Amino acid sequence: MDVSSLPACWQTALAADLDSDWFAELSEFVSAERQRSEVFPEEADVFTALQLTPLDRVKVVILGQDPYHDTGQAHGLSFSVRPGVKIPPSLRNIYRELREDLGVATPEHGFLEAWAKQGVLMLNTVLTVRAHEANSHRRRGWERFTDSVISTVADRRSAVFILWGRPAQKKKPLITGNQLILESAHPSPLSARTGFFDSKPFSKANAWLKANGQQVVNWELPAEAGGNEGWLFPV
């Protein structure tokens, strides 16, 4: 896997991991998987979350699990899909909670890049998956890598960590220092009604950021994917 596209701050912070034998083995595994089957996301998109949200800009972390495993969905940001792709059920529930929490309009797309460009690290705990086989790349090394990402953010930034569901909440011991940890049920239709709805993560995150002297996140997404970018960080 090509890590040369990672921002310099991530390359420096994660140098020990990127140079390790276990990361080399992970890279070899993913490469072999791509040769014998379809793997999502595309190779160029594996590190999109880190590319769009450099370490020195992280102020919110939203943890997902492994990427969407159906064709055309995954592009390297947790919960996000490309423009033109049907909005997945979990993201529809996120939009519902966002609307009820902040009163913002719900877009007709599921493209969350605008959040990433404002400092919301939209990180899956596993960054690749075999097509149509959920969790097929678990326990191959990705968890060790993303644990390092989480620990690095906790060590070097003051941020909000949004942990939806038990797999994300298991990462809580990695989060130390001046952080806000928001925990609730996962937005999946199977669990959203048992603690996700009315959890108000977006307003709570902004209240904490404001209280800690940081710029709040504009959670209202452009009506059209790629539009209304005047307030986004430059890339």
Side-chain angles (χ1 to χ4, degrees):
M1 292 179 291
D2 182 12
V3 298
S4 63
S5 61
L6 290 176
C9 52
W10 281 122
Q11 291 194 44
T12 299
L14 301 172
D17 299 282
L18 298 175
D19 293 337
S20 67
D21 291 341
W22 64 261
F23 189 83
E25 292 174 2
L26 170 63
S27 298
E28 290 173 4
F29 164 75
V30 175
S31 178
E33 282 282 272
R34 290 192 187 279
Q35 290 178 20
R36 58 177 168 252
S37 61
E38 192 172 14
V39 171
F40 301 134
E42 296 178 3
E43 186 169 1
D45 294 328
V46 170
F47 298 110
T48 295
L50 301 180
Q51 291 166 346
L52 291 179
T53 313
L55 175 59
D56 56 4
R57 294 178 179 171
V58 176
K59 54 188 173 184
V60 178
V61 179
I62 296 180
L63 283 181
Q65 298 177 35
D66 66 333
Y68 294 124
H69 55 83
D70 286 336
T71 302
Q73 292 182 309
H75 68 103
L77 298 179
S78 60
F79 297 102
S80 179
V81 292
R82 291 191 183 280
V85 176
K86 183 179 179 180
I87 300 173
S90 292
L91 183 52
R92 286 204 174 276
N93 284 338
I94 291 171
Y95 282 171
R96 172 179 164 180
E97 177 62 20
L98 177 61
R99 182 179 66 249
E100 294 179 356
D101 185 8
L102 295 178
V104 302
T106 299
E108 295 299 318
H109 62 83
F111 192 51
L112 305 182
E113 184 179 281
W115 291 353
K117 288 184 175 180
Q118 293 183 82
V120 181
L121 180 62
M122 310 202 63
L123 183 71
N124 283 314
T125 55
V126 174
L127 300 190
T128 57
V129 66
R130 195 180 305 131
H132 317 303
E133 297 183 42
N135 298 317
S136 51
H137 286 185
R138 289 177 64 188
R139 301 186 180 94
R140 293 290 186 167
W142 277 126
E143 293 90 343
R144 186 170 180 177
F145 176 75
T146 55
D147 281 0
S148 289
V149 173
I150 295 165
S151 296
T152 296
V153 173
D155 288 344
R156 305 191 185 193
R157 303 289 295 170
S158 291
V160 180
F161 287 80
I162 298 177
L163 309 180
W164 289 329
R166 290 182 181 177
Q169 290 161 13
K170 288 180 179 179
K171 304 299 182 181
K172 188 174 178 180
L174 301 172
I175 304 168
T176 58
N178 181 31
Q179 323 295 342
L180 173 65
I181 300 175
L182 299 175
E183 302 177 75
S184 74
H186 193 274
S188 162
L190 298 175
S191 57
R193 295 184 182 278
T194 61
F196 174 73
F197 290 133
D198 201 36
S199 59
K200 303 186 184 304
F202 308 102
S203 60
K204 289 177 180 177
N206 274 356
W208 188 89
L209 290 171
K210 185 176 182 179
N212 283 267
Q214 298 193 54
Q215 185 178 2
V216 300
V217 176
N218 182 349
W219 294 104
E220 184 170 8
L221 291 159
E224 296 182 3
N228 191 28
E229 295 192 0
W231 38 264
L232 300 181
F233 285 126
V235 295

